[in-house]
Amino acid sequence: MNHFGKIKRVFLMVLDSLGAGEMPDAARFGDKGAHTLRSLSQTKELFIPNLRSLGIGNIDGLGFLGTTEAPKAAVGKLSELSNGKDSTVGHWEIAGVVSEQPLPTFPDGFPQEVIDQFRTLTGRGVLCNKPYSGTQVIVDYGEEHMRTGDLIVYTSADSVFQIAAHEDIVPVEELYRYCEMARKILTGQYGVGRVIARPFIGEPSSFTRTSRRHDFSLEPPSETVLDMLKAAGYAVISVGKIKDLFAKRGLTRMIPTGGNVGGMTRTMELVDTDFNGLCFVNLVDFDMLYGHRQDVQGYARALSAFDKWLGDFLPKLREDDLLILTADHGCDPADNSTDHTREYVPLLMYGKKILPVNLGTQKGFTNIAATLADIFDVAYDCPGLSLFGEITEMPKHLANAAVRALRQSYCPYSGFKVGAALLSDSGRVYTGCNVENSSFSPSLCAERVAFAKAVSAGETGFQMIAVAGGKDGVIDSICPPCGVCRQVMQEFCGPDFPIILAKPRLYGKYDEVEIHTLSEMLPFGFEL
Ligand code: THU
């Protein structure tokens, strides 16, 4: 089944670098303990009532932001499949492309063969060739550059090749041509994310950079969902640096901005226009102005300003709109580096047709691409799971919640993992997994664990339950509840109580369900 026509416009907003806590492999990236959102929450500046009412505090591990009883959005957090933590790789993954290798960085400067080729093509010498602050590099090398005409080449902790030149020495158009030459050299193992022209003006003691900075990006290595949407005739509107990250590919309209305020203003204008497709926005200030500069207070104020904007934006959304808020990586402003951090990213999906379910922790930013492909009914194969079924149909949500619950299964004896998700009359979902014991008879089934959790929390009325299970957690057939569990269901639920069985799925690709009633499954239940 597809959801074609249910949603007409998607606003996908990337809050650049708003990480939701370290990923399990963060230590490998030097980011043990990093947590961008937690650092912001420790300031007095953070005031995010709208994000809280959407349910940001209900995301796994973000309870410190304040949980809410009745969230307005479907929420979850996503892990990154790609082997990296930069903006380019993060955005590509959001659009469906996983990068096995991080984009290369050059902490010791670029190799001689790169510099030699660059010299030959441009006919100019090269200064610096080290990681450097962009403002300091013109102070330290600007004069020599003016005297010799050599180009200032520098990098940073990011995957960038930057060329600074004085506009009187190297006209901007010429500088752009040099960047294109560098772009041709910098492919394969030297394929940096961006080549950046950094023109400046002024006298030696007072050089200033101009706004004619220009980015020359690496193209995504394979087709993204943006390419597919564009080819299918949908609008794909970019706001902010999205166009640079995708080297302008897969876009039908590009709206440049100068930072968060510009991005928010343009998006507020777009919400009042008619289009059918995707509006993909990046708000860069969080990362560029606050994350890298380790300005925790500034970051918190910027997020509070976004939250205020959100208060005006949400009421403008139409019946068939979907808002997706997420991030591309972390950049904990309170850790001991100016660099990005390897973190989960938050995911909030809000719309009039969207159920405010908790999506738990999901694998892959690619789930966003898969969701977009599903919504707009374009065939796009990526290692992701469409979340659209689960955020619009409760049985599918419960089936997926049961699949996630089985990850916790304690089953050293059978190796058979079972998960259950039980929806109570109060609207809460209680999950359970099977818990085995060396003396087999005290083993607990997933369904009864879910019931016990719910009943002990004061719940007595239930709407439906989903069950998923399989050897080693692989769901290759439905897993109907055992007789004892059916008997427990009869204790609390009527004959029409729906029992949802997750159908076989390739990892995450398939979320069809089978639904039976309790009376069908337990025709002659025991009663005292
Ligand atoms: N199991 C459940 O959790 N639910 C059922 O309805 C059927 C069986 C578990 C119990 C045991 O840990 C494993 O599956 C193999 O029987």
Side-chain angles (χ1 to χ4, degrees), residues 4 8 24 57 77 104 116 149 157 268 312 318 328 330 357 366 383 429 435 465 493 512 514 526:
F4 186 58
K8 222 172 136 193
K77 76 182 182 189
D116 287 345
M268 192 70 87
D312 298 328
R318 301 175 185 170
D328 52 344
V357 295
T366 42
V429 175
V435 183
I465 192 168
C493 315
E512 292 302 309
E514 203 175 293
F526 175 77

Side-chain angles (χ1 to χ4, degrees), residues 179-187 192-193 195 216-218:
C179 288
E180 273 159 15
M181 291 168 182
R183 190 65 280 176
K184 289 212 173 67
I185 301 167
L186 297 161
T187 56
V192 292
V195 173
F216 299 76
S217 327
L218 192 64

Side-chain angles (χ1 to χ4, degrees), residues 220-522:
S222 53
E223 277 194 317
T224 70
V225 74
L226 309 184
D227 297 315
M228 308 306 284
L229 292 176
K230 181 179 178 181
Y234 291 102
V236 188
I237 306 167
S238 79
V239 177
K241 77 169 182 180
I242 298 295
K243 67 168 180 358
D244 299 321
L245 296 164
F246 289 91
K248 300 185 180 167
R249 232 180 58 196
L251 304 172
T252 58
R253 188 175 162 205
M254 295 169 238
I255 303 178
T257 64
N260 281 13
V261 171
M264 291 189 284
T265 308
R266 296 286 90 77
T267 309
M268 192 70 87
E269 287 161 9
L270 284 164
V271 79
D272 288 327
T273 66
D274 290 320
F275 66 90
N276 185 199
L278 174 68
C279 172
F280 194 178
V281 182
N282 173 283
L283 298 181
V284 71
D285 290 355
F286 300 120
D287 179 69
M288 198 176 77
L289 298 185
Y290 309 112
H292 286 295
R293 296 187 191 168
Q294 302 196 277
D295 180 352
V296 194
Q297 318 290 329
Y299 200 143
R301 275 193 296 273
L303 189 60
S304 307
F306 171 75
D307 187 276
K308 189 162 182 290
W309 174 87
L310 203 53
D312 298 328
F313 182 75
L314 294 180
K316 287 181 168 264
L317 288 169
R318 301 175 185 170
E319 198 61 31
D320 41 15
D321 285 345
L322 167 65
L323 170 68
I324 305 178
L325 301 177
T326 191
D328 52 344
H329 51 72
C331 191
D332 187 341
D335 72 351
N336 53 14
S337 89
T338 57
D339 198 3
H340 292 162
T341 42
R342 174 81 168 171
E343 295 185 51
Y344 289 101
V345 298
L347 176 67
L348 298 100
M349 294 191 276
Y350 171 81
K352 303 230 161 49
K353 291 180 176 164
I354 306 305
L355 299 171
V357 295
N358 197 313
L359 301 164
T361 301
Q362 304 254 339
K363 282 187 197 159
F365 303 175
T366 42
N367 287 1
I368 295 175
T371 303
L372 293 173
D374 193 8
I375 289 173
F376 294 111
D377 197 27
V378 296
Y380 179 59
D381 195 23
C382 75
L385 156 75
S386 169
L387 305 175
F388 200 65
E390 104 154 282
I391 62 174
T392 49
E393 297 168 55
M394 188 49 82
K396 286 191 174 177
H397 166 59
L398 292 177
N400 283 303
V403 173
R404 287 189 289 273
L406 70 72
R407 293 185 201 149
Q408 262 72 258
S409 163
Y410 178 79
C411 57
Y413 306 103
S414 73
F416 196 90
K417 299 186 176 196
V418 186
L422 174 63
L423 177 66
S424 70
D425 285 347
S426 73
R428 259 182 242 132
V429 175
Y430 294 86
T431 58
C433 64
N434 53 331
V435 183
E436 295 185 346
N437 192 272
S438 61
S439 170
F440 291 179
S441 54
S443 288
L444 297 164
C445 285
E447 300 89 318
R448 279 178 286 140
V449 170
F451 270 95
K453 278 166 75 177
V455 173
S456 60
E459 305 273 6
T460 47
F462 300 98
Q463 304 273 317
M464 49 182 133
I465 192 168
V467 189
K471 186 84 185 153
D472 303 323
V474 178
I475 298 153
D476 49 17
S477 67
I478 55 169
C479 176
C482 78
V484 176
C485 289
R486 296 179 199 196
Q487 184 69 36
V488 168
M489 290 177 199
Q490 182 187 266
E491 191 70 30
F492 298 102
C493 315
D496 297 331
F497 181 66
I499 299 168
I500 296 141
L501 306 178
K503 296 229 282 195
R505 52 190 66 198
L506 297 167
Y507 169 71
K509 280 280 180 188
Y510 185 57
D511 66 355
E512 292 302 309
V513 296
E514 203 175 293
I515 306 182
H516 300 276
T517 62
L518 180 58
S519 64
E520 235 184 288
M521 290 227 170
L522 186 63

Side-chain angles (χ1 to χ4, degrees), residues 74-144:
V75 299
K77 76 182 182 189
L78 304 176
S79 64
E80 181 158 15
L81 299 175
S82 298
N83 185 13
K85 54 173 180 175
D86 68 58
S87 294
T88 307
V89 161
H91 281 79
W92 288 354
E93 185 165 322
I94 290 169
V97 176
V98 174
S99 307
E100 308 295 339
Q101 292 304 322
L103 295 178
T105 54
F106 295 90
D108 305 315
F110 297 95
Q112 201 55 45
E113 62 168 315
V114 169
I115 296 296
D116 287 345
Q117 280 188 62
F118 184 66
R119 278 207 175 101
T120 312
L121 286 179
T122 59
R124 287 183 185 263
V126 166
L127 301 173
C128 187
N129 189 27
K130 284 197 281 273
Y132 229 91
S133 134
T135 42
Q136 196 57 41
V137 85
I138 52 180
V139 174
D140 293 352
Y141 293 94
E143 246 185 294
E144 190 179 348

